[in-house]
Amino acid sequence: MYINTRSEGFGAEVKRRIMLGTYSLSTGYYDQYYLKAARVREIIRDDFNKAFKQVDMLITPTSPTTAFRLGEKIDDPLSMYLSDICTVSASLAGLPAISIPCGKDNKGLPIGLQIIGRMFREDEVLNLAYNLEKEIRYNLKQ
């Protein structure tokens, strides 16, 4: 049952990332990767804290490109990783973030907008997301 639920529950990309993480935490690599990553996480968190001294929230693209068709990049792991580049820093810093639709490209594929908030301020992120999405939908209808 364990093998079946883990095999069926995860797609190829998630399995690939789990394997990379498992490998990097295996014996002999813990100090080399994990501890360095923990230090980098602190630097990223400090940078966000500096930004949040000047602003309440950050708005960024969700992805460096517009959406691609389902399965289009399945054989290109690097391209898949690069699609996540805009969302990784908030996750590493442990910050609340949300992606909302903000329009469509010339092919009709969705464009995402990411809202990043201060630590433990999910309420502010969700409130802004709710209000922005209402406004965006209203303006797109006109």
Side-chain angles (χ1 to χ4, degrees):
M1 183 175 112
Y2 185 81
I3 291 171
N4 288 338
T5 59
R6 296 308 182 259
S7 298
E8 294 172 15
F10 300 122
E13 183 59 26
V14 172
K15 290 178 190 175
R16 185 179 296 117
R17 291 179 187 206
I18 290 170
M19 290 301 295
L20 284 170
T22 302
Y23 175 76
S24 66
L25 291 176
S26 64
T27 305
Y29 292 99
Y30 182 84
D31 289 342
Q32 185 178 358
Y33 294 109
Y34 183 78
L35 294 179
K36 285 181 183 176
R39 284 188 216 108
V40 170
R41 171 183 261 186
E42 287 301 315
I43 292 168
I44 292 169
R45 189 176 287 147
D46 289 345
D47 282 347
F48 273 110
N49 287 335
K50 287 177 190 171
F52 288 132
K53 287 179 181 177
Q54 298 177 34
V55 299
D56 294 327
M57 284 177 266
L58 299 168
I59 295 177
T60 70
T62 300
S63 177
T65 63
T66 57
F68 46 86
R69 300 217 176 269
L70 186 61
E72 182 180 333
K73 298 187 183 223
I74 198 106
D75 294 327
D76 187 359
L78 180 58
S79 186
M80 296 289 286
Y81 295 136
L82 291 175
S83 294
D84 295 341
I85 197 84
C86 296
T87 59
V88 170
S89 59
S91 294
L92 286 174
L95 298 173
I98 190 169
S99 176
I100 62 170
C102 67
K104 293 188 178 185
D105 68 8
N106 59 0
K107 296 176 187 171
L109 295 170
I111 299 170
L113 175 141
Q114 177 182 217
I115 302 166
I116 304 170
R118 293 174 289 175
M119 185 138 347
F120 304 117
R121 294 315 314 248
E122 289 85 351
D123 59 325
E124 292 177 349
V125 172
L126 291 170
N127 187 42
L128 179 59
Y130 174 76
N131 286 299
L132 261 178
E133 192 167 358
K134 278 193 325 187
E135 189 64 31
I136 290 167
R137 285 183 188 205
Y138 173 78
N139 286 325
L140 289 176
K141 289 179 183 178
Q142 293 184 346

